[in-house]
Amino acid sequence: MDDTARGVLEWVVPAVVVFVTAAIVIAAAIWAIRRARRSPRARAGAEQVRSRAGITLVRLDDAVDELELEVALSGALYGGHAPTSLRRARLSAQRVRDDAFARFEAISATHVHPAEIRRVANRIEAQAQAALATIASARAAHAEWMAANVSASDQIAAAEQRLRELRDSMGDPEALVSSMAARYDAEEWKPAARAAHGALAAVEDAERHLAAAIELAADPSRAALPELAAAERSLRSAQVDARALEEAHRLAAQASAALSDELAAARTAVRQAIVIREHLGAEASDLLGNEIRTCDAELNKIEVDAARRPTDAVNQIARVRDRLDLAVGDANTAQQRIRGARTALPGTLAAARIAIAHAEASLGHSSTSADARSRLIAAQASLADARQASDPVAALDAARRARLHAEDASALADYDSEQQRKKMP
């Protein structure tokens, strides 16, 4: 080897070693950074940021509800049309809230990178804070205008009119509960009884606050607005409970009417699974046979007291259909999957509606977290997707997602309520 070649090697070899070493160090550093960003500590920090954003989002959701109340009151005072500033603030805040809940749900998944959680959560909090400021400004301007232009007697008269309309629409809640108690087990009618009791109690509260407002309005030196605001909140609570009562009664009646068809469809699905089993290998046939026997036994058990527990029976039948579909799996042909989805869809939609109604009731009576609220919104969105889907298989999948999201929402709301009770002295 001549001197020139030796000189080149003496320069190239160390350079290559340095380059490779640097590359290894850089790769190791990048790996360490990425690992640190995904570490339990990083995820815990991101979760704190997400929780903080969730708290702000809950404040925004509550503020939007309060604004809805004020818009309704203003509409009653202004002949059905709330002031433009209030309506604009409400629409803007609703858009921010709905978008924020969707993004909050998206970053709640376990696979999301902590850095992405931080970025999105910070954006949610900033936008929610801005929306809260907009609401506060609109409400302050409206309150100032109301004080100068609307008398307390006008507001009282509008509230009294809404109270009369509510009483007329409610009818006799106790009679409705009594009719349910005569037909169904306590599990079916107790939620309706709680809603009826809540509605009647809220109406009494509204009457008491209105009476106090009338007394205060007679004295120009005293402000009736606080009592009026309390009456409006009681009216809103009574409306929520009245709707929950009507929904509980409607769902029970619909489930009762659909029971025979749902049981028949489930029995047909079991028979179809038996036919499919005959064309499977020995091991797969044995596994499917075990599931078929289990599902058949479950249907027999459900049928015993289905008439007394219709909504629970519809929900349990939907679960049996889920289990059977999972057991059959890929053995189904495309045509069989479509046919099975068509027969399973009505019951699964009913089960989803029942689960959403229970979740709405759970969330309506406690200060729930953003996680519970976002799951309920996801359930409602999935139910809407199921109703709009033209493909029965896609519709069935969406209905099942709706039911699962709603069940998660109820569980989270119950957990939130339990945590609140523990904090109480």
Side-chain angles (χ1 to χ4, degrees):
M1 182 180 295
D2 57 24
D3 293 341
T4 302
R6 187 180 295 108
V8 170
L9 287 175
E10 288 176 352
W11 178 83
V12 169
V13 172
V16 170
V17 171
V18 170
F19 177 79
V20 171
T21 303
I24 292 172
V25 170
I26 291 171
I30 292 173
W31 177 84
I33 291 170
R34 288 180 175 174
R35 181 174 181 135
R37 287 178 176 174
R38 292 182 178 273
S39 67
R41 183 175 180 181
R43 186 159 294 278
E47 181 60 27
Q48 288 182 350
V49 178
R50 192 185 74 91
S51 297
R52 188 170 64 243
I55 292 170
T56 306
L57 188 51
V58 166
R59 286 176 51 213
L60 174 60
D61 195 28
D62 291 341
V64 170
D65 282 345
E66 286 291 318
L67 191 60
E68 289 275 6
L69 190 67
E70 194 159 343
V71 168
L73 172 59
S74 296
L77 292 171
Y78 305 143
H81 299 287
T84 303
S85 60
L86 272 188
R87 287 188 285 113
R88 189 184 300 117
R90 179 192 62 180
L91 291 173
S92 175
Q94 283 176 334
R95 283 195 295 269
V96 172
R97 178 198 61 185
D98 294 346
D99 178 65
F101 267 121
R103 286 184 285 123
F104 186 86
E105 176 68 15
I107 61 172
S108 301
T110 56
H111 67 270
V112 181
H113 195 287
E116 178 69 3
I117 294 175
R118 283 179 176 273
R119 184 186 68 79
V120 175
N122 284 328
R123 185 182 176 192
I124 289 172
E125 183 166 18
Q127 291 180 335
Q129 291 283 12
L132 283 167
T134 299
I135 290 174
S137 176
R139 292 187 67 186
H142 181 241
E144 185 177 344
W145 189 94
M146 289 271 287
N149 296 279
V150 181
S151 68
S153 60
D154 290 337
Q155 298 179 62
I156 291 170
E160 288 179 324
Q161 176 62 26
R162 284 195 302 284
L163 178 59
R164 285 192 293 271
E165 292 173 353
L166 176 61
R167 276 193 171 279
D168 290 341
S169 65
M170 282 174 53
D172 187 352
E174 293 178 337
L176 196 60
V177 173
S178 296
S179 70
M180 292 181 69
R183 294 185 61 188
Y184 309 128
D185 285 350
E187 290 181 4
E188 294 285 331
W189 60 262
K190 276 193 173 179
R194 285 194 294 269
H197 177 76
L200 292 173
V203 165
E204 291 178 1
D205 283 342
E207 290 174 337
R208 186 170 60 254
H209 288 302
L210 278 175
I214 291 171
E215 183 179 346
L216 291 169
D219 184 352
S221 65
R222 302 170 71 187
L225 186 59
E227 289 293 341
L228 271 169
E232 289 296 335
R233 290 188 181 88
S234 295
L235 281 172
R236 182 67 172 268
S237 179
Q239 289 170 342
V240 170
D241 281 322
R243 283 196 297 269
L245 170 60
E246 292 173 2
E247 184 73 355
H249 181 267
R250 184 181 67 84
L251 288 173
Q254 288 181 344
S256 183
L259 261 179
S260 60
D261 289 341
E262 291 303 316
L263 281 167
R267 298 288 189 193
T268 300
V270 169
R271 289 193 295 270
Q272 290 171 347
I274 293 173
V275 173
I276 291 171
R277 182 193 174 205
E278 294 173 356
H279 299 85
L280 299 178
E283 183 177 354
S285 178
D286 288 342
L287 290 173
L288 181 55
N290 290 334
E291 288 299 311
I292 289 172
R293 285 188 289 274
T294 299
C295 291
D296 190 53
E298 284 295 319
L299 290 175
N300 290 334
K301 183 178 177 182
I302 292 167
E303 194 170 11
V304 171
D305 58 355
R308 296 286 301 176
R309 303 169 59 194
T311 60
D312 181 65
V314 165
N315 186 40
Q316 293 301 320
I317 292 169
R319 291 177 184 275
V320 170
R321 295 295 302 269
D322 290 354
R323 180 169 184 168
L324 194 58
D325 285 351
L326 183 63
V328 172
D330 295 335
N332 257 331
T333 65
Q335 187 177 6
Q336 287 170 331
R337 280 195 292 273
I338 292 173
R339 186 166 57 245
R342 284 201 182 104
T343 62
L345 184 57
T348 306
L349 282 171
R353 288 194 297 269
I354 291 166
I356 287 174
H358 289 167
E360 288 171 342
S362 296
L363 270 69
H365 292 280
S366 60
S367 179
T368 50
S369 64
D371 286 301
R373 300 183 193 204
S374 67
R375 292 296 172 84
L376 176 56
I377 292 171
Q380 292 164 338
S382 294
L383 182 59
D385 290 342
R387 286 170 169 163
Q388 295 169 5
S390 57
D391 176 12
V393 176
L396 181 61
D397 288 342
R400 286 170 174 168
R401 285 197 305 273
R403 191 191 72 218
L404 293 174
H405 283 314
E407 289 171 352
D408 286 346
S410 293
L412 288 167
D414 291 342
Y415 174 79
D416 293 336
S417 298
E418 181 62 26
Q419 293 301 110
Q420 290 170 22
R421 282 194 292 270
K422 287 180 179 179
K423 291 178 182 178
M424 294 175 64

